[in-house]
Amino acid sequence: MANASGAEVDAAQIGAVFDSMPPAMRSSMQKDLAAGRQLELDAIGGPIVRGGERCGIDVSTTAD
């Protein structure tokens, strides 16, 4: 999706960032779910789903 939009993405660099994070670290969505708060699913995944539709890219994993 990023490449289809003209962005340059270094998958190895992104992987290295995730690998360097502490194992106990939790995303804000994980914290919201645990606290029973409403999740911001459209705000986070919506642009990916809409961009996939616009570019003809299968993003069904995000859409589900």
mmCIF file of all heavy atoms in Angstrom:
data_model
loop_
_atom_site.group_PDB
_atom_site.id
_atom_site.type_symbol
_atom_site.label_atom_id
_atom_site.label_comp_id
_atom_site.label_asym_id
_atom_site.label_seq_id
_atom_site.Cartn_x
_atom_site.Cartn_y
_atom_site.Cartn_z
ATOM 1 N N MET A 1 0.824 -1.178 0.000
ATOM 2 C CA MET A 1 0.000 0.000 0.000
ATOM 3 C C MET A 1 0.874 1.250 0.000
ATOM 4 O O MET A 1 0.616 2.188 -0.733
ATOM 5 C CB MET A 1 -0.906 -0.073 1.230
ATOM 6 C CG MET A 1 -1.856 1.025 1.433
ATOM 7 S SD MET A 1 -2.986 1.294 0.093
ATOM 8 C CE MET A 1 -3.404 2.931 0.493
ATOM 9 N N ALA A 2 1.902 1.269 0.825
ATOM 10 C CA ALA A 2 2.778 2.439 0.875
ATOM 11 C C ALA A 2 3.462 2.659 -0.473
ATOM 12 O O ALA A 2 3.517 3.783 -0.967
ATOM 13 C CB ALA A 2 3.823 2.276 1.972
ATOM 14 N N ASN A 3 3.967 1.588 -1.056
ATOM 15 C CA ASN A 3 4.639 1.712 -2.350
ATOM 16 C C ASN A 3 3.671 2.188 -3.426
ATOM 17 O O ASN A 3 4.035 2.997 -4.270
ATOM 18 C CB ASN A 3 5.271 0.384 -2.764
ATOM 19 C CG ASN A 3 6.450 0.013 -1.892
ATOM 20 O OD1 ASN A 3 7.096 0.871 -1.321
ATOM 21 N ND2 ASN A 3 6.713 -1.265 -1.784
ATOM 22 N N ALA A 4 2.433 1.706 -3.401
ATOM 23 C CA ALA A 4 1.431 2.121 -4.384
ATOM 24 C C ALA A 4 1.119 3.604 -4.259
ATOM 25 O O ALA A 4 0.714 4.243 -5.219
ATOM 26 C CB ALA A 4 0.157 1.300 -4.219
ATOM 27 N N SER A 5 1.325 4.155 -3.069
ATOM 28 C CA SER A 5 1.075 5.578 -2.837
ATOM 29 C C SER A 5 2.311 6.431 -3.089
ATOM 30 O O SER A 5 2.282 7.639 -2.887
ATOM 31 C CB SER A 5 0.593 5.801 -1.399
ATOM 32 O OG SER A 5 -0.627 5.135 -1.183
ATOM 33 N N GLY A 6 3.408 5.795 -3.480
ATOM 34 C CA GLY A 6 4.625 6.535 -3.784
ATOM 35 C C GLY A 6 5.596 6.676 -2.625
ATOM 36 O O GLY A 6 6.600 7.363 -2.738
ATOM 37 N N ALA A 7 5.312 6.029 -1.513
ATOM 38 C CA ALA A 7 6.210 6.113 -0.356
ATOM 39 C C ALA A 7 7.284 5.031 -0.455
ATOM 40 O O ALA A 7 7.032 3.943 -0.958
ATOM 41 C CB ALA A 7 5.416 5.931 0.937
ATOM 42 N N GLU A 8 8.467 5.342 0.015
ATOM 43 C CA GLU A 8 9.531 4.349 0.072
ATOM 44 C C GLU A 8 9.558 3.771 1.481
ATOM 45 O O GLU A 8 9.641 4.507 2.459
ATOM 46 C CB GLU A 8 10.874 4.994 -0.262
ATOM 47 C CG GLU A 8 10.971 5.438 -1.702
ATOM 48 C CD GLU A 8 12.344 5.971 -2.053
ATOM 49 O OE1 GLU A 8 13.325 5.578 -1.395
ATOM 50 O OE2 GLU A 8 12.416 6.779 -2.980
ATOM 51 N N VAL A 9 9.475 2.448 1.570
ATOM 52 C CA VAL A 9 9.420 1.768 2.859
ATOM 53 C C VAL A 9 10.545 0.744 2.937
ATOM 54 O O VAL A 9 10.729 -0.058 2.025
ATOM 55 C CB VAL A 9 8.053 1.063 3.046
ATOM 56 C CG1 VAL A 9 8.018 0.304 4.351
ATOM 57 C CG2 VAL A 9 6.923 2.070 2.975
ATOM 58 N N ASP A 10 11.291 0.786 4.014
ATOM 59 C CA ASP A 10 12.361 -0.182 4.251
ATOM 60 C C ASP A 10 11.841 -1.182 5.283
ATOM 61 O O ASP A 10 11.832 -0.913 6.487
ATOM 62 C CB ASP A 10 13.603 0.543 4.759
ATOM 63 C CG ASP A 10 14.789 -0.386 4.984
ATOM 64 O OD1 ASP A 10 14.599 -1.613 5.097
ATOM 65 O OD2 ASP A 10 15.913 0.138 5.048
ATOM 66 N N ALA A 11 11.397 -2.346 4.806
ATOM 67 C CA ALA A 11 10.796 -3.348 5.685
ATOM 68 C C ALA A 11 11.769 -3.808 6.769
ATOM 69 O O ALA A 11 11.368 -4.036 7.918
ATOM 70 C CB ALA A 11 10.299 -4.538 4.869
ATOM 71 N N ALA A 12 13.043 -3.933 6.438
ATOM 72 C CA ALA A 12 14.032 -4.362 7.433
ATOM 73 C C ALA A 12 14.170 -3.332 8.541
ATOM 74 O O ALA A 12 14.291 -3.684 9.722
ATOM 75 C CB ALA A 12 15.373 -4.605 6.755
ATOM 76 N N GLN A 13 14.136 -2.054 8.181
ATOM 77 C CA GLN A 13 14.244 -0.994 9.189
ATOM 78 C C GLN A 13 13.023 -0.995 10.104
ATOM 79 O O GLN A 13 13.151 -0.846 11.318
ATOM 80 C CB GLN A 13 14.391 0.356 8.508
ATOM 81 C CG GLN A 13 14.592 1.498 9.475
ATOM 82 C CD GLN A 13 14.737 2.841 8.771
ATOM 83 O OE1 GLN A 13 14.432 2.981 7.596
ATOM 84 N NE2 GLN A 13 15.191 3.829 9.508
ATOM 85 N N ILE A 14 11.850 -1.180 9.534
ATOM 86 C CA ILE A 14 10.628 -1.238 10.353
ATOM 87 C C ILE A 14 10.682 -2.440 11.281
ATOM 88 O O ILE A 14 10.358 -2.347 12.467
ATOM 89 C CB ILE A 14 9.381 -1.272 9.456
ATOM 90 C CG1 ILE A 14 9.248 0.061 8.721
ATOM 91 C CG2 ILE A 14 8.125 -1.575 10.276
ATOM 92 C CD1 ILE A 14 8.200 0.070 7.638
ATOM 93 N N GLY A 15 11.112 -3.584 10.753
ATOM 94 C CA GLY A 15 11.247 -4.781 11.587
ATOM 95 C C GLY A 15 12.215 -4.575 12.727
ATOM 96 O O GLY A 15 11.970 -5.025 13.851
ATOM 97 N N ALA A 16 13.315 -3.880 12.466
ATOM 98 C CA ALA A 16 14.312 -3.617 13.511
ATOM 99 C C ALA A 16 13.731 -2.747 14.621
ATOM 100 O O ALA A 16 14.023 -2.956 15.803
ATOM 101 C CB ALA A 16 15.547 -2.956 12.909
ATOM 102 N N VAL A 17 12.890 -1.785 14.257
ATOM 103 C CA VAL A 17 12.249 -0.936 15.269
ATOM 104 C C VAL A 17 11.363 -1.787 16.169
ATOM 105 O O VAL A 17 11.420 -1.696 17.400
ATOM 106 C CB VAL A 17 11.439 0.204 14.609
ATOM 107 C CG1 VAL A 17 10.567 0.906 15.629
ATOM 108 C CG2 VAL A 17 12.369 1.185 13.926
ATOM 109 N N PHE A 18 10.540 -2.646 15.559
ATOM 110 C CA PHE A 18 9.659 -3.500 16.361
ATOM 111 C C PHE A 18 10.468 -4.467 17.225
ATOM 112 O O PHE A 18 10.117 -4.720 18.378
ATOM 113 C CB PHE A 18 8.688 -4.273 15.467
ATOM 114 C CG PHE A 18 7.510 -3.452 15.037
ATOM 115 C CD1 PHE A 18 7.417 -2.992 13.732
ATOM 116 C CD2 PHE A 18 6.498 -3.126 15.918
ATOM 117 C CE1 PHE A 18 6.332 -2.224 13.321
ATOM 118 C CE2 PHE A 18 5.419 -2.363 15.526
ATOM 119 C CZ PHE A 18 5.333 -1.910 14.226
ATOM 120 N N ASP A 19 11.527 -5.020 16.678
ATOM 121 C CA ASP A 19 12.363 -5.955 17.442
ATOM 122 C C ASP A 19 13.046 -5.294 18.626
ATOM 123 O O ASP A 19 13.375 -5.960 19.604
ATOM 124 C CB ASP A 19 13.416 -6.588 16.529
ATOM 125 C CG ASP A 19 12.808 -7.554 15.526
ATOM 126 O OD1 ASP A 19 11.648 -7.983 15.721
ATOM 127 O OD2 ASP A 19 13.501 -7.866 14.533
ATOM 128 N N SER A 20 13.258 -3.981 18.553
ATOM 129 C CA SER A 20 13.959 -3.288 19.636
ATOM 130 C C SER A 20 13.034 -2.867 20.781
ATOM 131 O O SER A 20 13.497 -2.399 21.809
ATOM 132 C CB SER A 20 14.670 -2.055 19.086
ATOM 133 O OG SER A 20 13.732 -1.051 18.724
ATOM 134 N N MET A 21 11.733 -3.054 20.610
ATOM 135 C CA MET A 21 10.789 -2.621 21.644
ATOM 136 C C MET A 21 10.721 -3.642 22.780
ATOM 137 O O MET A 21 10.857 -4.845 22.548
ATOM 138 C CB MET A 21 9.406 -2.430 21.038
ATOM 139 C CG MET A 21 9.369 -1.279 20.078
ATOM 140 S SD MET A 21 7.717 -1.005 19.430
ATOM 141 C CE MET A 21 8.053 0.349 18.334
ATOM 142 N N PRO A 22 10.508 -3.164 23.993
ATOM 143 C CA PRO A 22 10.420 -4.077 25.139
ATOM 144 C C PRO A 22 9.247 -5.048 24.978
ATOM 145 O O PRO A 22 8.170 -4.662 24.509
ATOM 146 C CB PRO A 22 10.160 -3.144 26.330
ATOM 147 C CG PRO A 22 10.499 -1.774 25.858
ATOM 148 C CD PRO A 22 10.339 -1.772 24.373
ATOM 149 N N PRO A 23 9.422 -6.313 25.361
ATOM 150 C CA PRO A 23 8.363 -7.313 25.204
ATOM 151 C C PRO A 23 7.059 -6.957 25.919
ATOM 152 O O PRO A 23 5.977 -7.344 25.483
ATOM 153 C CB PRO A 23 8.961 -8.584 25.791
ATOM 154 C CG PRO A 23 10.429 -8.362 25.834
ATOM 155 C CD PRO A 23 10.633 -6.875 25.913
ATOM 156 N N ALA A 24 7.140 -6.232 27.017
ATOM 157 C CA ALA A 24 5.941 -5.903 27.787
ATOM 158 C C ALA A 24 5.210 -4.669 27.252
ATOM 159 O O ALA A 24 4.132 -4.328 27.738
ATOM 160 C CB ALA A 24 6.297 -5.685 29.253
ATOM 161 N N MET A 25 5.771 -4.025 26.245
ATOM 162 C CA MET A 25 5.157 -2.812 25.696
ATOM 163 C C MET A 25 3.812 -3.157 25.060
ATOM 164 O O MET A 25 3.664 -4.171 24.397
ATOM 165 C CB MET A 25 6.083 -2.183 24.662
ATOM 166 C CG MET A 25 5.627 -0.852 24.164
ATOM 167 S SD MET A 25 6.944 -0.156 23.125
ATOM 168 C CE MET A 25 6.164 1.334 22.634
ATOM 169 N N ARG A 26 2.817 -2.292 25.277
ATOM 170 C CA ARG A 26 1.476 -2.496 24.727
ATOM 171 C C ARG A 26 1.052 -1.270 23.939
ATOM 172 O O ARG A 26 1.389 -0.141 24.292
ATOM 173 C CB ARG A 26 0.460 -2.754 25.845
ATOM 174 C CG ARG A 26 0.745 -4.001 26.657
ATOM 175 C CD ARG A 26 0.533 -5.253 25.806
ATOM 176 N NE ARG A 26 0.896 -6.455 26.514
ATOM 177 C CZ ARG A 26 1.996 -7.161 26.288
ATOM 178 N NH1 ARG A 26 2.853 -6.780 25.378
ATOM 179 N NH2 ARG A 26 2.255 -8.243 26.970
ATOM 180 N N SER A 27 0.293 -1.504 22.876
ATOM 181 C CA SER A 27 -0.210 -0.390 22.070
ATOM 182 C C SER A 27 -1.355 0.293 22.812
ATOM 183 O O SER A 27 -1.949 -0.268 23.737
ATOM 184 C CB SER A 27 -0.704 -0.898 20.721
ATOM 185 O OG SER A 27 -1.892 -1.649 20.883
ATOM 186 N N SER A 28 -1.678 1.493 22.374
ATOM 187 C CA SER A 28 -2.787 2.206 22.994
ATOM 188 C C SER A 28 -4.091 1.442 22.792
ATOM 189 O O SER A 28 -4.961 1.444 23.659
ATOM 190 C CB SER A 28 -2.906 3.626 22.437
ATOM 191 O OG SER A 28 -3.171 3.606 21.047
ATOM 192 N N MET A 29 -4.236 0.740 21.649
ATOM 193 C CA MET A 29 -5.454 -0.031 21.426
ATOM 194 C C MET A 29 -5.535 -1.213 22.395
ATOM 195 O O MET A 29 -6.608 -1.528 22.907
ATOM 196 C CB MET A 29 -5.545 -0.532 19.979
ATOM 197 C CG MET A 29 -6.905 -1.162 19.695
ATOM 198 S SD MET A 29 -7.138 -1.804 18.034
ATOM 199 C CE MET A 29 -7.012 -0.333 17.055
ATOM 200 N N GLN A 30 -4.423 -1.867 22.670
ATOM 201 C CA GLN A 30 -4.422 -2.946 23.647
ATOM 202 C C GLN A 30 -4.823 -2.419 25.025
ATOM 203 O O GLN A 30 -5.583 -3.065 25.754
ATOM 204 C CB GLN A 30 -3.044 -3.601 23.729
ATOM 205 C CG GLN A 30 -2.701 -4.451 22.524
ATOM 206 C CD GLN A 30 -1.266 -4.925 22.566
ATOM 207 O OE1 GLN A 30 -0.342 -4.124 22.711
ATOM 208 N NE2 GLN A 30 -1.076 -6.221 22.428
ATOM 209 N N LYS A 31 -4.314 -1.247 25.376
ATOM 210 C CA LYS A 31 -4.655 -0.644 26.666
ATOM 211 C C LYS A 31 -6.136 -0.262 26.714
ATOM 212 O O LYS A 31 -6.794 -0.461 27.738
ATOM 213 C CB LYS A 31 -3.775 0.578 26.929
ATOM 214 C CG LYS A 31 -2.305 0.227 27.117
ATOM 215 C CD LYS A 31 -1.458 1.483 27.226
ATOM 216 C CE LYS A 31 0.008 1.164 27.251
ATOM 217 N NZ LYS A 31 0.844 2.366 27.262
ATOM 218 N N ASP A 32 -6.663 0.288 25.607
ATOM 219 C CA ASP A 32 -8.085 0.640 25.558
ATOM 220 C C ASP A 32 -8.957 -0.593 25.699
ATOM 221 O O ASP A 32 -9.954 -0.584 26.427
ATOM 222 C CB ASP A 32 -8.423 1.358 24.242
ATOM 223 C CG ASP A 32 -7.864 2.764 24.179
ATOM 224 O OD1 ASP A 32 -7.505 3.323 25.236
ATOM 225 O OD2 ASP A 32 -7.797 3.319 23.063
ATOM 226 N N LEU A 33 -8.609 -1.672 25.008
ATOM 227 C CA LEU A 33 -9.384 -2.909 25.085
ATOM 228 C C LEU A 33 -9.396 -3.445 26.514
ATOM 229 O O LEU A 33 -10.454 -3.802 27.042
ATOM 230 C CB LEU A 33 -8.805 -3.949 24.123
ATOM 231 C CG LEU A 33 -9.504 -5.299 24.100
ATOM 232 C CD1 LEU A 33 -10.942 -5.153 23.611
ATOM 233 C CD2 LEU A 33 -8.732 -6.271 23.214
ATOM 234 N N ALA A 34 -8.234 -3.477 27.151
ATOM 235 C CA ALA A 34 -8.139 -3.976 28.518
ATOM 236 C C ALA A 34 -8.945 -3.121 29.495
ATOM 237 O O ALA A 34 -9.497 -3.635 30.467
ATOM 238 C CB ALA A 34 -6.676 -4.029 28.954
ATOM 239 N N ALA A 35 -9.052 -1.826 29.207
ATOM 240 C CA ALA A 35 -9.784 -0.911 30.089
ATOM 241 C C ALA A 35 -11.269 -0.832 29.728
ATOM 242 O O ALA A 35 -12.016 -0.112 30.390
ATOM 243 C CB ALA A 35 -9.162 0.477 30.019
ATOM 244 N N GLY A 36 -11.690 -1.541 28.682
ATOM 245 C CA GLY A 36 -13.097 -1.532 28.287
ATOM 246 C C GLY A 36 -13.514 -0.273 27.545
ATOM 247 O O GLY A 36 -14.704 0.020 27.438
ATOM 248 N N ARG A 37 -12.547 0.474 27.023
ATOM 249 C CA ARG A 37 -12.871 1.686 26.272
ATOM 250 C C ARG A 37 -13.174 1.351 24.810
ATOM 251 O O ARG A 37 -12.739 0.324 24.296
ATOM 252 C CB ARG A 37 -11.719 2.691 26.347
ATOM 253 C CG ARG A 37 -11.506 3.256 27.746
ATOM 254 C CD ARG A 37 -10.482 4.375 27.736
ATOM 255 N NE ARG A 37 -9.133 3.894 27.542
ATOM 256 C CZ ARG A 37 -8.263 3.643 28.525
ATOM 257 N NH1 ARG A 37 -8.618 3.817 29.790
ATOM 258 N NH2 ARG A 37 -7.048 3.220 28.252
ATOM 259 N N GLN A 38 -13.871 2.254 24.137
ATOM 260 C CA GLN A 38 -14.180 2.084 22.722
ATOM 261 C C GLN A 38 -12.887 2.128 21.910
ATOM 262 O O GLN A 38 -12.013 2.966 22.157
ATOM 263 C CB GLN A 38 -15.126 3.175 22.245
ATOM 264 C CG GLN A 38 -15.581 2.990 20.818
ATOM 265 C CD GLN A 38 -16.639 4.011 20.415
ATOM 266 O OE1 GLN A 38 -17.102 4.794 21.229
ATOM 267 N NE2 GLN A 38 -17.001 3.995 19.157
ATOM 268 N N LEU A 39 -12.769 1.235 20.942
ATOM 269 C CA LEU A 39 -11.564 1.176 20.118
ATOM 270 C C LEU A 39 -11.680 2.118 18.928
ATOM 271 O O LEU A 39 -12.765 2.334 18.406
ATOM 272 C CB LEU A 39 -11.335 -0.253 19.620
ATOM 273 C CG LEU A 39 -11.222 -1.316 20.709
ATOM 274 C CD1 LEU A 39 -10.981 -2.679 20.094
ATOM 275 C CD2 LEU A 39 -10.135 -0.976 21.709
ATOM 276 N N GLU A 40 -10.566 2.652 18.507
ATOM 277 C CA GLU A 40 -10.521 3.596 17.383
ATOM 278 C C GLU A 40 -10.170 2.849 16.094
ATOM 279 O O GLU A 40 -9.228 3.193 15.387
ATOM 280 C CB GLU A 40 -9.495 4.686 17.675
ATOM 281 C CG GLU A 40 -9.832 5.494 18.909
ATOM 282 C CD GLU A 40 -8.717 6.459 19.291
ATOM 283 O OE1 GLU A 40 -7.536 6.046 19.265
ATOM 284 O OE2 GLU A 40 -9.041 7.610 19.586
ATOM 285 N N LEU A 41 -10.957 1.826 15.772
ATOM 286 C CA LEU A 41 -10.643 0.974 14.637
ATOM 287 C C LEU A 41 -10.661 1.722 13.313
ATOM 288 O O LEU A 41 -9.768 1.548 12.491
ATOM 289 C CB LEU A 41 -11.611 -0.211 14.595
ATOM 290 C CG LEU A 41 -11.499 -1.176 15.782
ATOM 291 C CD1 LEU A 41 -12.600 -2.219 15.723
ATOM 292 C CD2 LEU A 41 -10.138 -1.823 15.805
ATOM 293 N N ASP A 42 -11.674 2.551 13.066
ATOM 294 C CA ASP A 42 -11.732 3.246 11.789
ATOM 295 C C ASP A 42 -10.610 4.284 11.673
ATOM 296 O O ASP A 42 -10.029 4.443 10.609
ATOM 297 C CB ASP A 42 -13.078 3.915 11.557
ATOM 298 C CG ASP A 42 -13.144 4.527 10.165
ATOM 299 O OD1 ASP A 42 -13.086 3.758 9.185
ATOM 300 O OD2 ASP A 42 -13.212 5.765 10.060
ATOM 301 N N ALA A 43 -10.294 4.943 12.767
ATOM 302 C CA ALA A 43 -9.242 5.954 12.721
ATOM 303 C C ALA A 43 -7.886 5.330 12.408
ATOM 304 O O ALA A 43 -7.048 5.940 11.742
ATOM 305 C CB ALA A 43 -9.175 6.710 14.047
ATOM 306 N N ILE A 44 -7.667 4.102 12.855
ATOM 307 C CA ILE A 44 -6.383 3.444 12.648
ATOM 308 C C ILE A 44 -6.366 2.631 11.355
ATOM 309 O O ILE A 44 -5.461 2.760 10.541
ATOM 310 C CB ILE A 44 -6.034 2.559 13.864
ATOM 311 C CG1 ILE A 44 -5.844 3.455 15.099
ATOM 312 C CG2 ILE A 44 -4.802 1.705 13.593
ATOM 313 C CD1 ILE A 44 -5.745 2.717 16.403
ATOM 314 N N GLY A 45 -7.367 1.790 11.154
ATOM 315 C CA GLY A 45 -7.381 0.916 9.982
ATOM 316 C C GLY A 45 -8.116 1.464 8.781
ATOM 317 O O GLY A 45 -7.887 1.014 7.656
ATOM 318 N N GLY A 46 -9.001 2.422 8.998
ATOM 319 C CA GLY A 46 -9.806 2.964 7.913
ATOM 320 C C GLY A 46 -9.002 3.501 6.739
ATOM 321 O O GLY A 46 -9.309 3.182 5.584
ATOM 322 N N PRO A 47 -7.956 4.290 6.986
ATOM 323 C CA PRO A 47 -7.166 4.795 5.848
ATOM 324 C C PRO A 47 -6.516 3.674 5.032
ATOM 325 O O PRO A 47 -6.394 3.780 3.817
ATOM 326 C CB PRO A 47 -6.108 5.675 6.511
ATOM 327 C CG PRO A 47 -6.739 6.120 7.795
ATOM 328 C CD PRO A 47 -7.557 4.932 8.251
ATOM 329 N N ILE A 48 -6.134 2.593 5.695
ATOM 330 C CA ILE A 48 -5.548 1.456 4.980
ATOM 331 C C ILE A 48 -6.600 0.804 4.092
ATOM 332 O O ILE A 48 -6.353 0.511 2.920
ATOM 333 C CB ILE A 48 -4.952 0.437 5.973
ATOM 334 C CG1 ILE A 48 -3.805 1.069 6.763
ATOM 335 C CG2 ILE A 48 -4.500 -0.836 5.246
ATOM 336 C CD1 ILE A 48 -3.345 0.259 7.949
ATOM 337 N N VAL A 49 -7.788 0.574 4.648
ATOM 338 C CA VAL A 49 -8.869 -0.061 3.884
ATOM 339 C C VAL A 49 -9.270 0.814 2.699
ATOM 340 O O VAL A 49 -9.374 0.333 1.560
ATOM 341 C CB VAL A 49 -10.078 -0.351 4.795
ATOM 342 C CG1 VAL A 49 -11.264 -0.849 3.986
ATOM 343 C CG2 VAL A 49 -9.695 -1.368 5.869
ATOM 344 N N ARG A 50 -9.470 2.095 2.938
ATOM 345 C CA ARG A 50 -9.873 2.990 1.846
ATOM 346 C C ARG A 50 -8.773 3.132 0.800
ATOM 347 O O ARG A 50 -9.037 3.176 -0.403
ATOM 348 C CB ARG A 50 -10.305 4.345 2.411
ATOM 349 C CG ARG A 50 -11.625 4.236 3.197
ATOM 350 C CD ARG A 50 -12.124 5.585 3.661
ATOM 351 N NE ARG A 50 -11.330 6.173 4.727
ATOM 352 C CZ ARG A 50 -11.443 5.869 6.019
ATOM 353 N NH1 ARG A 50 -12.326 4.977 6.427
ATOM 354 N NH2 ARG A 50 -10.693 6.479 6.927
ATOM 355 N N GLY A 51 -7.518 3.178 1.230
ATOM 356 C CA GLY A 51 -6.402 3.264 0.288
ATOM 357 C C GLY A 51 -6.282 1.999 -0.542
ATOM 358 O O GLY A 51 -6.001 2.052 -1.740
ATOM 359 N N GLY A 52 -6.503 0.852 0.088
ATOM 360 C CA GLY A 52 -6.476 -0.409 -0.645
ATOM 361 C C GLY A 52 -7.547 -0.453 -1.712
ATOM 362 O O GLY A 52 -7.302 -0.892 -2.841
ATOM 363 N N GLU A 53 -8.738 0.008 -1.369
ATOM 364 C CA GLU A 53 -9.822 0.059 -2.350
ATOM 365 C C GLU A 53 -9.454 0.994 -3.498
ATOM 366 O O GLU A 53 -9.659 0.672 -4.667
ATOM 367 C CB GLU A 53 -11.113 0.521 -1.687
ATOM 368 C CG GLU A 53 -11.699 -0.488 -0.729
ATOM 369 C CD GLU A 53 -12.854 0.057 0.098
ATOM 370 O OE1 GLU A 53 -13.149 1.276 0.035
ATOM 371 O OE2 GLU A 53 -13.463 -0.741 0.837
ATOM 372 N N ARG A 54 -8.898 2.147 -3.178
ATOM 373 C CA ARG A 54 -8.541 3.141 -4.187
ATOM 374 C C ARG A 54 -7.450 2.623 -5.128
ATOM 375 O O ARG A 54 -7.466 2.896 -6.324
ATOM 376 C CB ARG A 54 -8.083 4.425 -3.491
ATOM 377 C CG ARG A 54 -7.873 5.608 -4.392
ATOM 378 C CD ARG A 54 -7.581 6.904 -3.625
ATOM 379 N NE ARG A 54 -6.499 6.788 -2.641
ATOM 380 C CZ ARG A 54 -6.658 6.753 -1.307
ATOM 381 N NH1 ARG A 54 -7.865 6.838 -0.778
ATOM 382 N NH2 ARG A 54 -5.626 6.649 -0.500
ATOM 383 N N CYS A 55 -6.496 1.859 -4.581
ATOM 384 C CA CYS A 55 -5.363 1.380 -5.383
ATOM 385 C C CYS A 55 -5.564 -0.034 -5.914
ATOM 386 O O CYS A 55 -4.687 -0.578 -6.586
ATOM 387 C CB CYS A 55 -4.080 1.414 -4.542
ATOM 388 S SG CYS A 55 -3.573 3.071 -4.074
ATOM 389 N N GLY A 56 -6.689 -0.658 -5.596
ATOM 390 C CA GLY A 56 -6.935 -2.022 -6.054
ATOM 391 C C GLY A 56 -6.048 -3.054 -5.384
ATOM 392 O O GLY A 56 -5.663 -4.039 -5.997
ATOM 393 N N ILE A 57 -5.737 -2.818 -4.114
ATOM 394 C CA ILE A 57 -4.863 -3.732 -3.350
ATOM 395 C C ILE A 57 -5.714 -4.464 -2.312
ATOM 396 O O ILE A 57 -6.514 -3.850 -1.598
ATOM 397 C CB ILE A 57 -3.730 -2.950 -2.654
ATOM 398 C CG1 ILE A 57 -2.859 -2.271 -3.712
ATOM 399 C CG2 ILE A 57 -2.908 -3.862 -1.762
ATOM 400 C CD1 ILE A 57 -1.840 -1.324 -3.111
ATOM 401 N N ASP A 58 -5.524 -5.770 -2.210
ATOM 402 C CA ASP A 58 -6.251 -6.572 -1.230
ATOM 403 C C ASP A 58 -5.729 -6.273 0.182
ATOM 404 O O ASP A 58 -4.569 -6.522 0.490
ATOM 405 C CB ASP A 58 -6.091 -8.057 -1.531
ATOM 406 C CG ASP A 58 -6.754 -8.955 -0.507
ATOM 407 O OD1 ASP A 58 -7.679 -8.485 0.203
ATOM 408 O OD2 ASP A 58 -6.374 -10.139 -0.417
ATOM 409 N N VAL A 59 -6.569 -5.695 0.990
ATOM 410 C CA VAL A 59 -6.230 -5.424 2.386
ATOM 411 C C VAL A 59 -7.259 -6.096 3.300
ATOM 412 O O VAL A 59 -7.609 -5.585 4.351
ATOM 413 C CB VAL A 59 -6.143 -3.905 2.679
ATOM 414 C CG1 VAL A 59 -4.953 -3.296 1.958
ATOM 415 C CG2 VAL A 59 -7.416 -3.194 2.291
ATOM 416 N N SER A 60 -7.725 -7.267 2.858
ATOM 417 C CA SER A 60 -8.786 -7.969 3.585
ATOM 418 C C SER A 60 -8.399 -8.292 5.022
ATOM 419 O O SER A 60 -9.262 -8.345 5.901
ATOM 420 C CB SER A 60 -9.212 -9.239 2.840
ATOM 421 O OG SER A 60 -8.099 -10.093 2.634
ATOM 422 N N THR A 61 -7.123 -8.500 5.297
ATOM 423 C CA THR A 61 -6.698 -8.767 6.684
ATOM 424 C C THR A 61 -6.992 -7.570 7.565
ATOM 425 O O THR A 61 -7.425 -7.726 8.708
ATOM 426 C CB THR A 61 -5.198 -9.094 6.728
ATOM 427 O OG1 THR A 61 -4.955 -10.229 5.895
ATOM 428 C CG2 THR A 61 -4.754 -9.403 8.130
ATOM 429 N N THR A 62 -6.787 -6.376 7.063
ATOM 430 C CA THR A 62 -7.082 -5.165 7.824
ATOM 431 C C THR A 62 -8.568 -4.913 7.878
ATOM 432 O O THR A 62 -9.100 -4.466 8.886
ATOM 433 C CB THR A 62 -6.359 -3.946 7.205
ATOM 434 O OG1 THR A 62 -4.959 -4.223 7.165
ATOM 435 C CG2 THR A 62 -6.614 -2.691 8.006
ATOM 436 N N ALA A 63 -9.275 -5.204 6.795
ATOM 437 C CA ALA A 63 -10.717 -4.931 6.717
ATOM 438 C C ALA A 63 -11.524 -5.822 7.637
ATOM 439 O O ALA A 63 -12.593 -5.438 8.089
ATOM 440 C CB ALA A 63 -11.198 -5.079 5.278
ATOM 441 N N ASP A 64 -11.025 -7.030 7.919
ATOM 442 C CA ASP A 64 -11.788 -7.972 8.758
ATOM 443 C C ASP A 64 -11.704 -7.599 10.161
ATOM 444 O O ASP A 64 -11.573 -7.367 11.066
ATOM 445 C CB ASP A 64 -11.295 -9.401 8.562
ATOM 446 C CG ASP A 64 -11.620 -9.887 7.166
ATOM 447 O OD1 ASP A 64 -12.495 -9.325 6.509
ATOM 448 O OD2 ASP A 64 -10.957 -10.844 6.730
#
